[in-house]
Amino acid sequence: MSGLATFLPYFKALHVVFVVTWFAGLFYLPRLFVYHADTTDSLSNERFKIMERRLYLIMSMGASLAAVFGLLMLITAPGYLSMGWLQAKLVLVAVLIGYHLWCRKLVLVFAHDANTHSQRWYRWFNEAPSLLLIAIVILAVVKPF
Ligand code: HEM
């Protein structure tokens, strides 16, 4: 092995570390929305806004670093790009990034006290990252095609 390829296992390890960080936020932020949607007192309302803003920043860092190490693997070993499982995975990752940006929009909606969704709606919204996680990890580990 030469050059960047020596680091490939480290890129993979760090990729998984930051995927975990990212998902901590993707699971917990919509949970905060569930509780926030039912909040009536202003002290809790303001506290939720701060928690949501900070969590969003941290999970965005996790997402960016997971993507950086994922892309470093693709640069190191471009052969990945011709594999079906990786292409399917990237489509689901694009959906996940869409969900992440939707969370950003909801953080801003709450920040302006303009939420219109019910607690129940957020409970359903909260399910999407689990489904994407299961599908993406199966593609990455099993590599079915
Ligand atoms: C920015 C987007 C991403 C890119 C470019 C990317 C790329 C890659 C690449 C090239 C590998 C190496 C595969 C191997 O050698 O087996 C990998 C591994 C992995 N990725 Fe990603 N990935 C991305 C996002 C994600 C996300 C969002 C998840 C989880 C939901 C994820 C979970 C994993 C896991 C668990 C592995 C380890 C697989 C194994 O070692 O068997 N990746 N990724």
Side-chain angles (χ1 to χ4, degrees), residues 64-135:
S64 309
L65 288 166
V68 164
F69 286 105
L71 293 175
L72 274 173
M73 284 190 280
L74 297 185
I75 291 168
T76 310
Y80 278 125
L81 282 169
S82 61
M83 299 174 184
W85 65 268
L86 196 269
Q87 293 163 2
K89 178 181 154 172
L90 290 182
V91 170
L92 294 184
V93 170
V95 175
L96 194 65
I97 292 170
Y99 182 90
H100 185 105
L101 295 173
W102 195 357
C103 286
R104 176 178 186 274
K105 191 182 159 226
L106 292 169
V107 169
L108 294 173
V109 165
F110 273 112
H112 291 98
D113 297 313
N115 175 50
T116 51
H117 297 300
S118 66
Q119 194 206 66
R120 215 177 132 74
W121 189 90
Y122 285 108
R123 283 185 191 280
W124 281 109
F125 182 73
N126 197 193
E127 298 301 326
S130 321
L131 301 177
L132 286 165
L133 178 65
I134 293 166

Side-chain angles (χ1 to χ4, degrees), residues 38-55:
D38 264 2
T39 299
T40 45
D41 68 293
S42 66
L43 188 65
S44 308
N45 184 30
E46 295 309 313
R47 193 170 289 150
F48 274 124
K49 288 182 191 176
I50 295 170
M51 289 167 77
E52 287 158 1
R53 198 180 61 230
R54 290 190 182 156
L55 184 57

